[in-house]
Amino acid sequence: MNLTQPYIPKMRPQDILMPVPAGLCCKPGGFHIDPVRPVERAVITHGHSDHARPGHGAVLATRETLDMMRLRYGDNFAHSTQAIAYGEEIRLGDVTVRFHPAGHVLGSAQIAVSCKDTCIVASGDYKDARDPTCAPFEVVRCDVFITEATFGLPVFRHGNAADEIKKLLASVALFPERAHLVGAYSLGKAQRVIALLRLAGYDAPIYLHGAMEKITRYYESRGVALGDLRMVKGTKKADLAGTITLAPPSATSDVWTRRFPDPVTAFASGWMRVRARARQRGVELPLVISDHADWDGLTATINATGAGEVWVTHGQEDALVHWCTARGLTARPLDLVGYGDEDDSDAAPADEDAEA
Ligand SMILES: [Zn+2]
């Protein structure tokens, strides 16, 4: 026995991060990741309201996530804040945390938590598909990978978002006398749809519902070019013929739509792969555009991380856990509650957008 080298037992992952009612708790680091209840110290993956909530003591997040929380909740959303850049490492208690791009929305991050020789990556929401409005997803090698499973079933294959944009533009060309109303979540999806339209060569003005103005202008202030944007408010009905408007999903089915000439209702969501969902929502033009990884994205990412253990959070956990165990990985659902009521992970048509 070597007496000069003290024996340091390898940390068990569950001693580093464990699910508690407030969220994922890192006891040795003294913080929670994306807590759903107010905590002393929160480390936050991205700005969607189910992950970024107000009322914490200290918040550590990317600058963009902090700015989005400020836009939504006001200046006093936390007692104190600290911005961290991608690739930067910060020591918290007995652990180090490092942020890596998650490719989900502007400023979204995976959080790598390392303690002794064990690394756990909490990926929050993520997608491996290309998105012109945020930094691309980065594969982080780790021992334990914590993954979402919003679209964790083999039926979910999102396809190419550019092809969905072509469908939208074909419809606009086909119905020049009608307005096109595209339901899209206000943070991330709306800006991505606009950017994809611009990439496809569409340079006409794009109209916005008032609920999207602040966050969309914020994207522009961070260098995301979105072209000529105008507000629906104050625009004459006749002038909206042949145009495209982005609106929160719930606005596309209420009286607000009466200000548009014979609107074609579209909805940009990974759920549009399910025909019944589109029908149920009265969506005439379903666009399969998601800010979450599809089945192939989830499984390819799990493989790429090299993790021997996978913890599955919100969504369709069972199939993904089964897929992992069939490949000899240790996998378990985390049974965290409180996630999935903003963006694509929204399951119920009734509570679709807090900002609408
Ligand atoms: Zn999200």
Side-chain angles (χ1 to χ4, degrees):
M1 193 175 173
N2 183 350
L3 293 175
T4 56
Q5 291 268 311
Y7 170 69
I8 303 171
K10 195 174 160 79
M11 290 288 283
R12 293 183 312 162
Q14 58 270 39
D15 295 331
I16 302 172
L17 277 176
M18 65 178 296
V20 298
L24 260 183
C25 175
C26 178
K27 228 175 180 176
F31 61 87
H32 291 74
I33 295 176
D34 291 353
V36 296
R37 299 178 185 177
V39 299
E40 223 163 280
R41 179 177 282 276
V43 178
I44 292 181
T45 58
H46 69 286
H48 279 140
S49 60
D50 50 333
H51 293 258
R53 299 175 191 245
H56 305 305
V59 173
L60 177 69
T62 62
R63 176 185 166 176
E64 289 82 1
T65 296
L66 293 174
D67 286 343
M68 288 171 190
M69 292 178 79
R70 205 166 284 123
L71 279 180
R72 175 172 278 154
Y73 304 127
D75 285 339
N76 300 318
F77 70 89
H79 185 71
S80 67
T81 61
Q82 184 180 357
I84 180 171
Y86 293 135
E88 195 183 333
E89 197 169 272
I90 287 182
R91 182 105 193 145
L92 292 174
D94 293 333
V95 309
T96 56
V97 297
R98 190 195 283 260
F99 278 44
H100 301 269
H104 177 56
V105 296
L106 182 65
S108 65
Q110 311 173 70
I111 298 165
V113 180
S114 300
C115 189
K116 302 201 173 107
D117 52 0
T118 301
C119 177
I120 305 181
V121 169
S123 55
D125 289 341
Y126 68 94
K127 71 171 176 294
D128 54 343
R130 195 172 157 272
D131 180 341
T133 67
C134 64
F137 177 85
E138 188 180 301
V139 170
V140 185
R141 303 280 297 180
C142 55
D143 301 296
V144 180
F145 185 61
I146 306 179
T147 181
E148 57 144 321
T150 304
F151 293 107
L153 285 175
V155 292
F156 289 113
R157 289 194 161 89
H158 298 327
N160 189 347
D163 292 338
E164 301 300 287
I165 293 296
K166 276 187 203 153
K167 259 173 35 187
L168 172 59
L169 290 175
S171 178
V172 171
L174 193 62
F175 302 111
E177 74 291 352
R178 300 178 71 184
H180 280 69
L181 261 182
V182 183
Y185 293 96
S186 304
L187 198 178
K189 184 66 62 62
Q191 295 77 26
R192 184 176 174 213
V193 168
I194 296 168
L196 288 170
L197 281 164
R198 298 311 187 199
L199 276 177
Y202 184 77
D203 55 9
I206 292 174
Y207 290 82
L208 294 180
H209 183 283
M212 287 175 165
E213 185 175 18
K214 265 201 290 188
I215 193 72
T216 305
R217 296 296 179 201
Y218 177 71
Y219 265 69
E220 290 183 300
S221 79
R222 298 300 293 160
V224 179
L226 297 174
D228 185 355
L229 301 178
R230 301 185 189 177
M231 304 310 294
V232 169
K233 202 174 174 185
T235 306
K236 287 194 204 110
K237 188 170 183 171
D239 292 344
L240 291 166
T243 65
I244 298 174
T245 294
L246 274 291
S250 56
T252 62
S253 58
D254 73 17
V255 290
W256 185 74
T257 62
R258 289 186 199 153
R259 63 175 73 206
F260 295 89
D262 191 16
V264 175
T265 304
F267 184 31
S269 166
W271 294 114
M272 291 299 100
R273 179 66 66 210
V274 184
R275 275 169 195 279
R277 287 234 189 194
R279 259 201 315 273
Q280 181 190 19
R281 305 181 74 123
V283 175
E284 200 174 330
L285 183 63
L287 303 171
V288 185
I289 302 177
S290 175
D291 284 336
H292 295 266
D294 64 6
W295 175 257
D296 293 334
L298 293 168
T299 54
T301 301
I302 290 169
N303 272 335
T305 63
E309 188 164 339
V310 178
W311 298 349
V312 186
T313 67
H314 55 294
Q316 324 259 358
E317 294 96 329
D318 295 352
L320 203 55
V321 166
H322 178 78
W323 181 89
C324 290
T325 47
R327 269 150 195 82
L329 305 174
T330 302
R332 64 176 177 119
L334 279 190
D335 299 321
L336 291 172
V337 292
Y339 301 97
D341 40 34
E342 187 165 346
D343 69 62
D344 264 348
S345 37
D346 159 41
D351 61 344
E352 54 210 346
D353 194 313
E355 296 198 309

